[in-house]
Amino acid sequence: QVLSFVIPTALQSVTHRALHRLFHTRSCLFVGLHVALQAAVYGEYTWEVFGYCWELQFHLLLLLLPYLLLAGNLGCFVLCSRANPGIITKSNHASLVKIYAYDGVLFQKGIMCPTCNMEKPARSKHCSFCSACVHRFDHHCVWVNNCIGAFNAKYFFLYLFTLAAMATSIAGVTAALLVQVVLLSNVLHASYLDDQGQEHAVEILFLVQHLFLTFPRIVFMLGFVILLTLILGAYCCFNLYLALTNQTSNEWSKSRRYGCSHHLTLQPHDSRTVYKNIYSKGIWMNLKEIFKPLTVLERKKK
């Protein structure tokens, strides 16, 4: 009976520690997946799409655009993953705590981080993956294996937009190739016989099936890249909205619990706190803050 109790308890303890190491430490798993997906897409683009487009005399600059965007994206990726996002330490805590005021709703003065044993500056958050508090914390990005904070937000912003541009350019060139193939083959004016022997004009569904059977890898890649373009495009728009309104993903998520008002007040009918973003200084200043984070001197000037 004692063993039947001790063994499951020990297994639960080991499992808990293993899960903690897996989900609460920085891992290169998603970075490897990210690189593998890029290599697969660019391998197919280079091996087939580029060759066909070259034979069809596409403009060279158009064909090289995805590679130019890839070079820029890799540069932003390295900078974003290796840059200090704004780790709060004992040495820089005194200066960072003066940069942003506490809004009294999302960020309260005097709140201590139990792990770092320091008072949390406004707009900061403790990241369990990095085991540190991060200044102007946005989120922990598994794709770059780093937190996104005040000092690498600009690199993440550029990384995300170049990634979306890469997907868009590859999708555009690949779609143009397939359109050119269809036009040159004159398949739109052809007809086909169904199982009953009846003749039909070529429809979109038949055309897609024909292209998939003729160029299966190219069509599959195009579908994947179009889906990626839509997802990245939506995420880019969301991040642009956050930048223009001077919010972080963390703040936007937390602020959904509150209503919107021009003041920080307690509503008498339900005694519920209403949130107002006090960090927004106008579109231009908000965007500037992404590429040039505030310092203590600039905070004092304001």
Side-chain angles (χ1 to χ4, degrees), residues 13 210 279:
S13 178
H210 172 71
Y279 305 113

Side-chain angles (χ1 to χ4, degrees), residues 18-287:
L19 290 173
H20 185 274
R21 285 195 298 271
L22 177 63
F23 292 106
H24 294 276
T25 56
R26 294 177 63 177
S27 170
C28 293
L29 174 64
F30 285 94
V31 176
L33 179 61
H34 168 263
V35 173
L37 287 174
Q38 278 194 341
V41 170
Y42 270 88
E44 180 61 25
Y45 175 80
T46 304
W47 184 256
E48 292 205 57
V49 176
F50 189 95
Y52 286 130
C53 289
W54 182 257
E55 291 179 8
L56 293 173
Q57 298 182 336
F58 276 56
H59 198 286
L60 181 60
L61 183 59
L62 180 65
L63 298 181
L64 293 179
L65 180 60
Y67 298 106
L68 298 176
L69 291 170
L70 175 63
N73 180 257
L74 289 176
C76 294
F77 171 81
V78 171
L79 290 172
C80 188
S81 61
R82 297 183 64 86
N84 179 359
I87 301 296
I88 301 172
T89 63
K90 298 286 186 182
S91 59
N92 64 16
H93 177 269
S95 60
L96 293 180
V97 79
K98 298 175 183 177
I99 293 179
Y100 293 112
Y102 293 92
D103 62 13
V105 179
L106 301 185
F107 305 104
Q108 305 278 352
K109 186 174 178 60
I111 302 297
M112 299 291 292
C113 174
T115 305
C116 300
N117 196 27
M118 292 185 293
E119 181 183 7
K120 290 184 178 181
R123 310 192 78 180
S124 69
K125 187 179 184 296
H126 184 86
C127 176
S128 58
F129 292 93
C130 298
S131 299
C133 285
V134 178
H135 175 54
R136 198 183 183 277
F137 176 88
D138 190 278
H139 70 287
H140 183 92
C141 180
V142 295
W143 300 106
V144 300
N145 201 19
N146 197 5
C147 273
I148 308 302
F151 302 140
N152 67 346
K154 54 181 175 291
Y155 302 133
F156 179 75
F157 193 79
L158 295 173
Y159 160 76
L160 188 60
F161 276 81
T162 53
L163 194 62
M166 282 166 48
T168 303
S169 64
I170 291 177
V173 173
T174 306
L177 167 64
L178 294 178
V179 169
Q180 190 76 351
V181 168
V182 169
L183 295 177
L184 291 174
S185 63
N186 207 28
V187 70
L188 290 175
H189 301 288
S191 59
Y192 69 96
L193 298 176
D194 61 15
D195 296 336
Q196 286 74 35
Q198 296 180 343
E199 187 175 358
H200 297 275
V202 170
E203 302 169 346
I204 296 297
L205 181 59
F206 177 86
L207 185 60
V208 172
Q209 291 175 342
H210 172 71
L211 288 174
F212 185 77
L213 291 174
T214 310
F215 307 102
R217 294 203 306 250
I218 293 179
V219 174
F220 179 79
M221 184 196 74
L222 177 60
F224 173 75
V225 174
I226 288 176
L227 177 63
L228 200 60
T229 300
L230 295 175
I231 295 173
L232 290 172
Y235 192 45
C236 282
C237 291
F238 175 66
N239 274 268
L240 182 60
Y241 162 74
L242 293 179
L244 295 178
T245 55
N246 206 330
Q247 297 182 79
T248 64
S249 298
N250 176 54
E251 292 164 4
W252 179 86
S253 176
K254 292 170 68 175
S255 67
R256 297 305 92 191
R257 306 171 195 168
Y258 306 97
C260 296
S261 174
H262 293 290
H263 304 282
L264 290 173
T265 59
L266 288 176
Q267 300 300 311
H269 61 278
D270 58 2
S271 298
R272 189 166 61 89
T273 304
V274 176
Y275 172 69
K276 165 71 166 61
N277 180 15
I278 66 170
Y279 305 113
S280 180
K281 307 298 181 184
I283 291 177
W284 170 247
M285 293 303 296
N286 292 342
L287 195 58

